[in-house]
Amino acid sequence: MKISEIKKIVVIRLSSLGDVILTTPVVRALKSKYKEAIIDFVTSPASEEVYTNSPRINNLLLYSKKGDNSNLYSILMKKNYDLVLDFQHNKHSSKIVKATGKSSYKITKPQLAKFLLVHFKINLFGKIKKIPERYADVLSALKLDDKGPEMFPAGLDKVEQEDKLIGFCPGSKHFTKQYPEEYYAKLGKLLNDKGYKVALFGGSDDKEICERLHLSIKKSINLYTENKLHQLLLNMKRCKLIVCNDSGLMHAATAIDVPVAVIFGSTVGEFGFKPWKSKSLVLEDSTVNCRPCSHIGKGSCPKMHFNCMMNLYPELVFNEIKNLI
């Protein structure tokens, strides 16, 4: 189909937060290529704010994994899309594609390569492709630009950076992706000793760890929110640097052009989630030969030593991030 014939496009990515944020460079490329096309985006309510206020899309449509989606399906049936892009490629996105009545272009997931790397340490990845590149590969003619992810919280342009404020995003859904709490506390003390103040960020799942670190780190500011992403971004923008785990909030910081220092534990770059075209520092111990033990993280260290994180001492992290701050 010719570019001039593409009038309506729908993009589907339901979860998780970081994955949805990493679609934004691709949607920007779509808007650049198909300038006159209507672009709709389907996601879950948890990721709705990624595209709130975005000038790249025309309609934001929400899918509930457990709720009634009959209204959504009715809307999709009437749209008559010319191009359907499925960046999720699972049973839920398949239902959405079916509702459009059209065939779709689907992301190819390297499941076998991930399985072999996790379980047998056989690396078939070759040249590492980050997630936006894998999305873009769905359409061979789609070219990404040199910019990072993007989000558009209202009032972002009015936020001023505070020279001595460093953000921590200490939470994670999975234990093996979370830098130890006691290490965050020690890193906060090292920063305090150099005159820096620490701001703590997270969603509702991170409330307890943020509260504990707030008590542990002198002069810290507890800015966790009840999953209000845009408010969190406005507070993050005040920071000179964000220190974080391999998480959705890492990508959120890059989407508002705040430098990040990312601490990788059980996961590795082959999975594609390192920061995309953003000012960043990645900290990991590549000598730990049991990495990766999972492609999404585990609830505990299978080897019981957790060396992938424990070897990254707070003093080491502090010395590395000095160049960014």
Side-chain angles (χ1 to χ4, degrees):
M1 187 176 292
K2 296 178 181 179
I3 291 178
S4 60
E5 296 174 340
I6 303 292
K7 302 296 184 183
K8 295 181 182 179
I9 302 170
V10 63
V11 182
I12 304 161
R13 180 73 212 195
L14 306 175
S15 63
S16 294
L17 177 63
D19 302 79
V20 178
I21 292 171
L22 289 174
T23 66
T24 62
V26 187
V27 171
R28 187 170 63 237
L30 282 168
K31 191 64 178 177
S32 177
K33 186 176 182 64
Y34 304 105
K35 292 180 173 59
E36 304 303 319
I38 290 173
I39 301 179
D40 295 346
F41 196 95
V42 184
T43 192
S44 65
S47 298
E48 178 179 1
E49 287 187 273
V50 173
Y51 278 97
T52 300
N53 302 333
S54 173
R56 318 296 181 189
I57 67 166
N58 297 86
N59 300 290
L60 180 61
L61 306 172
L62 300 180
Y63 172 88
S64 173
K65 290 183 178 180
K66 296 182 179 179
D68 180 9
N69 292 292
S70 56
N71 186 55
L72 170 65
Y73 296 152
S74 177
I75 292 171
L76 293 172
M77 288 174 63
K78 297 173 184 176
K79 288 280 189 173
N80 193 27
Y81 291 109
D82 302 305
L83 190 59
V84 179
L85 304 177
D86 181 0
F87 291 161
Q88 189 82 42
H89 197 181
N90 65 8
K91 64 180 182 180
H92 294 287
S93 63
S94 294
K95 293 177 183 178
I96 297 168
V97 171
K98 184 177 180 181
T100 69
K102 300 295 179 72
S103 58
S104 66
Y105 292 86
K106 298 179 176 67
I107 187 173
T108 300
K109 299 181 179 181
Q111 303 287 31
L112 177 60
K114 286 193 288 189
F115 178 84
L116 292 173
L117 185 57
V118 168
H119 295 284
F120 299 102
K121 305 301 178 278
I122 298 172
N123 193 338
L124 299 182
F125 277 91
K127 182 181 180 295
I128 295 175
K129 281 193 174 183
K130 293 184 180 179
I131 296 300
E133 293 174 300
R134 294 182 190 171
Y135 291 149
D137 282 348
V138 170
L139 280 180
S140 59
L142 196 61
K143 303 299 180 185
L144 298 173
D145 59 27
D146 291 326
K147 299 177 182 178
E150 60 184 13
M151 280 190 279
F152 300 90
L156 187 68
D157 58 333
K158 296 181 175 64
V159 178
E160 295 184 5
Q161 185 188 87
E162 299 178 30
D163 190 54
K164 291 291 185 177
L165 189 63
I166 306 298
F168 284 2
C169 298
S172 176
K173 290 183 179 179
H174 304 282
F175 172 84
T176 59
K177 292 175 71 175
Q178 182 172 301
Y179 193 54
E181 183 177 334
E182 63 271 24
Y183 278 17
Y184 268 116
K186 181 62 182 296
L187 181 61
K189 183 180 185 306
L190 292 170
L191 288 164
N192 281 168
D193 291 345
K194 293 296 182 181
Y196 290 93
K197 183 184 289 186
V198 171
L200 299 161
F201 298 101
S204 57
D205 291 342
D206 310 316
K207 179 178 179 179
E208 292 183 1
I209 189 172
C210 285
E211 288 178 343
R212 290 193 300 268
L213 285 172
H214 178 48
L215 294 175
S216 300
I217 303 172
K218 292 180 181 180
K219 300 179 182 179
S220 62
I221 312 170
N222 191 358
L223 295 175
Y224 89 90
T225 69
E226 294 294 330
N227 298 330
K228 295 177 181 178
L229 183 58
H230 278 199
Q231 183 58 57
L232 183 146
L233 292 174
L234 293 174
N235 289 328
M236 273 188 172
K237 190 65 177 176
R238 295 163 53 191
C239 296
K240 192 173 185 65
L241 171 75
I242 300 291
V243 181
C244 51
N245 308 314
D246 172 15
S247 67
L249 293 189
M250 165 185 74
H251 300 295
T254 67
I256 54 169
D257 200 29
V258 175
V260 293
V262 192
I263 304 169
F264 273 72
S266 63
T267 50
V268 294
E270 280 81 356
F271 300 150
F273 287 100
K274 287 186 177 179
W276 174 253
K277 295 188 182 298
S278 306
K279 188 174 183 180
S280 63
L281 171 68
V282 174
L283 299 161
E284 59 187 332
D285 188 345
S286 57
T287 68
V288 177
N289 58 20
C290 52
R291 293 178 72 229
C293 62
S294 167
H295 74 279
I296 59 171
K298 286 182 171 291
S300 62
C301 172
K303 300 291 186 180
M304 304 302 290
H305 54 60
F306 201 30
N307 283 344
C308 61
M309 284 294 195
M310 299 307 293
N311 289 350
L312 300 173
Y313 299 106
E315 294 82 2
L316 182 152
V317 174
F318 176 73
N319 287 330
E320 290 290 333
I321 67 176
K322 281 192 294 187
N323 290 330
L324 278 180
I325 62 176

